[in-house]
Amino acid sequence: GAGVSQSPSNKVTEKGKDVELRCDPISGHTALYWYRQSLGQGLEFLIYFQGNSAPDKSGLPSDRFSAERTGGSVSTLTIQRTQQEDSAVYLCASSSGGSYVRETQYFGPGTRLLVL
Amino acid sequence: AQTVTQSQPEMSVQEAETVTLSCTYDTSENNYYLFWYKQPPSRQMILVIRQEAYKQQNATENRFSVNFQKAAKSFSLKISDSQLGDTAMYFCAFMTRGAQKLVFGQGTRLTINP
């Protein structure tokens, strides 16, 4: 079946503007994750959604970052008032609810964000 | 806090050779999972292999195998008969059972030369 998809593939924005990044998980996957990959910080966890439970937001770097997941499927990561240090690749992953494979996360191709 | 260390920023080998990528981790947990992911220039993170900490047997997937040393907190990846398509960044990752978030190492850039 189809894998995790993300849009846009690339995004260039000006400092101070808001951006929205979208993630479509694998159909039937109940868990969804956002990570950020930057040169200085490597790969960092941002936020995790599991079904209808409250999301784990412990990795969000500031209150300019937020994410939602509508209908238990598509997720949007929003960055308000973007700063140059927000430039990075934003990766989305999903995993299924099966007891054996639940812990394996499958990644999308990422969105490369450049803040000028 | 859990940490993952990959001590080899870059490696380069000839096609058909065997190469081993190193990974060590630090945790006080007993139940956890370890992963190797591959990230080619396309940016897509691809799962290469996974290991459950409670299993003593090392995981194997075709040309890829791991050497899991739980006491030493070491999790190396061996690639046999390397191919040009193996050229990529390789990330070692750790997850505590139930924690649901991956902790990644800094990555090793592997180049397979013809």
Side-chain angles (χ1 to χ4, degrees), chain A residues 9-10 33 35 37 41-43 45 48 56 58 89 91 100 102-105 107-112, chain B residues 33 35 37 39 42-47 50 52 54-55 91 95 97-102 104-106:
Chain A
S9 179
N10 295 282
Y33 315 77
Y35 294 86
Q37 184 175 22
Q41 301 297 324
L43 272 153
F45 165 80
Y48 157 63
D56 176 355
S58 60
V89 175
L91 294 166
Y100 178 73
R102 180 178 56 201
E103 288 81 8
T104 297
Q105 297 178 25
F107 285 79
T111 293
R112 182 181 298 278
Chain B
Y33 299 83
F35 305 84
Y37 280 91
Q39 187 180 40
S42 66
R43 292 200 310 249
Q44 182 93 41
M45 293 280 279
I46 302 165
L47 178 67
R50 59 172 276 164
E52 291 85 359
Y54 65 86
K55 290 186 177 180
F91 292 94
M95 184 171 68
R97 186 177 176 87
Q100 303 298 340
K101 55 187 174 185
L102 289 165
F104 287 90
Q106 291 298 311

Side-chain angles (χ1 to χ4, degrees), chain A residues 43-64:
Chain A
L43 272 153
E44 309 169 273
F45 165 80
L46 296 177
I47 189 169
Y48 157 63
F49 296 90
Q50 171 61 60
N52 295 320
S53 303
D56 176 355
K57 304 179 183 180
S58 60
L60 294 179
S62 77
D63 58 8
R64 296 186 296 105

